[in-house]
Every structure is written in structure tokens, then in C-alpha cells.
Amino acid sequence: MKTFSKIRFLSLFLGIFVLLPPSVVGQEGFTLPDGTIKDKIDFELVNNLVVIPVTINGTEFSFLLDTGVNTTILFGLSQEDSIQLKNTRPIRIRGLGTGGSIDALRTERNKVTVGNAVDEEHTIYVIFEQSLNLSPRMGLPIHGIIGYDFFKKFIVKTDYTRKKLTFFDPEKYEPKVCSRCEVFPIRLYENKPYIDMKVGSGDTLVDVTLLIDSGASDALWIFDETIGIVEAPQNYFEDFLGLGLSGNIYGKRSKLKKAQLGTYVLANVNVAYPSEDALEDIKFYDDRSGSLGGGILKRFTVTMDYSSQQMILKKNNSFSDPFYYNMSGITVEHDGLVVVKEEQTSDSVKIPTNISSENDNAFTLQFKTIFNFFLVPRYIVAELRENSPAALVGLLKNDEILSINGRPAYKYKLYEIVALFSSQEGKRIKLQIERNGVKLIKKFVLKEVL
């Protein structure tokens, strides 16, 4: 059997592949305080990805919680970040693409805290390669990824609707009776969970084995283009799939007529097929056909139980939502901060700056307008799909987006822009942009690609 290398895809915007040595075994790992059965924390859901607070040696960071990673990785540190790392030694790791290996650090015996769970002897891999900075594509700081080190110690329930993460001590866990839940066997290989399901573009479904990858924002990634891709008539389009450690990842996007997981059946499901170049020289678990990502997982409350090798699903209110692609063709990126000036509203104040008396009973009041200055996100066009609605009206890469449908762009969060561009076919979009110091207006209509 082939050796399974560390492959990670934070698709839609992000894609990471990292080849790492096997994780250290024998350490105690995360534990809850004595007498504690469970803990619960809030998380942010951004582009179908779960972002949780993680404290490392007293400093708090934002991490992706990712079933598809078997080691804790720290990256995206800025000059403003300060952290003490213990017992470090340099290593070389390999990234997706043709860039070869890069420098990193392995650091041991770190104190890592998630909620009330603490690991006093945590091993972390630190990557300084700036291309792995995920924050611009996410719209909020992302400092790393944590996965197996956390999931192996707890039964973890992710409530995508309420944005609550609950984790239980397996030895004290007493599952509640859930008539609307379905239990699926999973198998762990190289500390990552795999599940069998059926997919297809016609009446006949194909059995596939997929990595359960909560760190992938797409619904499905399939490595075999014969599953779903048709040339006549063409049922796919070429697109940017993700940002890899050593470069961009491109491939095909299409839809599968049906994806079936147990009794759950999803229709017209988004699927991505990474190019052969992106997967070249990467060795996989022999049975693996692709990945099951956040685009599907977010439609359930998901309970991962590594100790019993099972996943429990309960569909939520998002289960029947349509699967949409970005219908604008624009990938937007957060590109630093800019200063904006806003006049205070009349409900605030216009203070008198001069009062003069013309006679004993009359005064002249002169008022000064008060302005507030803010540091706000600057958004740019990072990627542009060829022949997309935005490209056809003349949008270009690196155009700065000033406003969207008359609303200043900085008043949107990045994930809200993503949702807008994937919202409804026929929706009219009006962008004010700035290019080389010139402000331009660009109008287009969202168009379903498939």
C-alpha cells in the first residue's frame, strides 16, 4: 500500500498541502479539568470553515478546526504577533506545487488551550512562508490549523447553525437518544477519518471513499474526472480552486446530480476536480477518491467520535439549501487597511465654534462639522475567472473595490461579499472600483455557470 502523505485543501479560496513527519505519540494530550464531562465554546463560521480560539503559551490565536490534518500547524504570524515557542529545531517540509520544500520549525512541550481543555506537552510545526497566510482570503486573522491532536481526545459536536462547539470526555460521555440522527462508520488512516458514500451525475451512482475534511470549504473534491465530467455537452468550467503553499491550484468545477450519504440524499452538488499538476507526485491512501468538505458538513450537526470510529449526522435547516458557485467570477481578497473619513450624523453633534451677539436678543451661531476617521479593510480583485460576468465588463486583477451596490465595501465582511456573489442568478451588481488612481463603475449580472 502507498504511503499517505499529508494533503490538505482549503478549497474555494484556500488550498494547503503539507508533508510532515508522523506526529509524536505517547504524549498525554488535551484533558479537561477533573470532574468536567464536557466543555462548549463559540466559533466563527467563515466560508464553511470552523474558526476557534486557541491559546499557545499564553497568547491567543485563531485556528481552523480541521479533521483533515494530523498535526498542529502555526503560520500567518505578523510582526505584531508575539509568542514564546519551546524546544524548537529546524526542519524542511514540502508544499503543494513545484516550489519544493521550505524551512519550518518543530517546537515541543508547548501549553495549548482550547476552552477549558489543556495540553501541556503539545507539538507544533511553525511555517514562516508568507504564501501560507490565509488571512487575506478569509477576511479575519487565521494563525494555524488544529485537528487530530484535538479530535483524538474528545467526542466533538459541531453545531453549524448555532456556531457552538461542544466536546466531551469519551469516558464520561452518555449519548442522548436521537431519532433523527444517522450513525456512519468511519475508518482512521494516518490519523485522518474516511467515509464511504455514493455520488453520480446520472441515475447510476459510484461508490467513493472520501476524506472527511472540515478544513475544506467546498462540498466535494473528486480526483477522478471520469466521475461526473462530460465533454459533450461540456458540463464544467475551469477555475481557480485554492491557494497552495507553493502556488495557486486550478482545476475544473462541475455539479453532480446526486450525492448520497446513508439515507441522506443531496441534489446538484458542487464538485471540484484539481488538475493533474496540482496532484503530481503526491501519494494517497489507496482507497481515497477525494474529500468531503464544509459545503456538505455545514448542512448537519456533526459529531465526530474517533474513539468509536463513527460520525453522527443530524440534518439542520440548511440541508436543502441549493449549492451555488461564485457567479461573479471574482475572488476577493483583504489587502491591508485604509483610512476613511465619515461625517458624524445629525444625531451626534455639530458644535458651535463661534457665537456673536448682534443685539441684546439675537445671536449668530457658526457650526463646525465633526468627522470620524477609521481604519477599514481594503478589498481587491485577487483572481478573475475568464469569460465570467465580471471579466466581460472589464474588471481586472488588483482592482480595488470601493463600493458594492452603493454601499461602501468596507461595511461588508469578506464572507458577506462571497455570499452576495453566490446568492442569486440574475442579481444585479454595481461595483465602484479604483484602478491606477482612477475611479470606475462596473455593472454586471450574476449568471449561473452550470
Side-chain angles (χ1 to χ4, degrees), residues 365-380:
L365 302 180
Q366 295 179 347
F367 288 88
K368 180 180 180 180
T369 300
I370 303 299
F371 291 94
N372 291 323
F373 293 84
F374 301 92
L375 277 174
V376 299
R378 176 179 184 264
Y379 295 123
I380 65 167

Side-chain angles (χ1 to χ4, degrees), residues 155-160 168 173-186 195 212 261 264 297 299-306 308-315:
I155 296 172
V156 182
K157 182 173 78 171
T158 305
D159 187 334
Y160 283 89
F168 305 83
Y173 176 66
E174 295 183 3
K176 295 181 180 179
V177 176
C178 179
S179 59
R180 294 184 295 160
C181 296
E182 191 163 346
V183 180
F184 298 88
I186 62 174
I195 193 167
I212 303 170
L261 192 57
Y264 298 121
L297 294 175
R299 297 160 190 267
F300 300 90
T301 294
V302 181
T303 301
M304 298 298 298
D305 183 355
Y306 281 20
S308 299
Q309 296 202 28
Q310 64 183 20
M311 176 175 70
I312 304 169
L313 298 182
K314 178 183 178 182
K315 66 181 181 181

Side-chain angles (χ1 to χ4, degrees), residues 14 46-47 49 51 64 134-140 142 414-415:
L14 313 170
V46 184
N47 303 330
L49 306 178
V51 182
L64 297 178
L134 308 185
S135 302
R137 300 290 174 99
M138 295 284 285
L140 76 168
I142 300 294
L414 183 54
Y415 68 83

Side-chain angles (χ1 to χ4, degrees), residues 29-33 39 41 55 112-119 150 154 167:
F30 284 103
T31 57
L32 288 169
D39 194 15
I41 62 173
T55 300
V112 176
T113 304
V114 178
N116 290 321
V118 180
D119 182 358
F150 186 75
F154 303 111
F167 41 103

